[in-house]
Amino acid sequence: MPISVIFGIELKESVMEQNISMSSYSVGDQVPLTCLITSCRSWNGTVELVDSSGSVIQFKTVNLLEGSLSISFKVLVGGSEEYPVEYSCRVKTSLRGETFSALSNVTLS
């Protein structure tokens, strides 16, 4: 089951920036990250925001009809992060007993 995932800051419709400069953000700001998912089938599953250690820090349950879907997450800029920081958007679904997963990464530097 082909699932395509693009993750980053949406610059304009379907154009994503995956290497994000933190120079325009201050401590306390929220960085808007978008996960654009495209699939040739309908499915139910989860979309997870994963940090560089592999921990799920946010997730959303989705019901995708055939086509594409945009899911947004916001990451709070703290004062103790050492950059670059990498986040991933992981899409997980099961169909007929098989588990499918797709992953896309973004780097904040």
Side-chain angles (χ1 to χ4, degrees):
M1 173 178 166
I3 300 173
S4 167
V5 179
I6 302 172
F7 188 43
I9 288 186
E10 194 166 14
L11 301 177
K12 56 185 179 179
E13 189 174 327
S14 301
V15 177
M16 307 291 272
E17 175 61 52
Q18 294 182 300
N19 294 304
I20 299 158
S21 171
M22 295 306 291
S23 61
S24 58
Y25 294 96
S26 302
V27 173
D29 286 349
Q30 292 186 341
V31 181
L33 300 176
T34 300
C35 190
L36 181 62
I37 306 159
T38 306
S39 178
C40 62
R41 290 194 182 158
S42 300
W43 53 268
N44 296 322
T46 58
V47 179
E48 301 170 336
L49 177 64
V50 182
D51 66 13
S52 55
S53 70
S55 298
V56 176
I57 55 175
Q58 294 178 42
F59 75 94
K60 295 183 180 181
T61 302
V62 296
N63 180 12
L64 176 67
L65 300 176
E66 184 177 327
S68 62
L69 177 68
S70 182
I71 300 290
S72 296
F73 294 104
K74 292 192 177 182
V75 176
L76 185 66
V77 179
S80 60
E81 285 95 348
E82 291 185 24
Y83 294 100
V85 175
E86 188 169 277
Y87 290 98
S88 301
C89 179
R90 180 170 56 206
V91 178
K92 294 167 63 174
T93 185
S94 294
L95 183 67
R96 293 188 206 105
E98 290 184 73
T99 300
F100 297 92
S101 184
L103 187 69
S104 182
N105 299 326
V106 67
T107 302
L108 309 182
S109 57

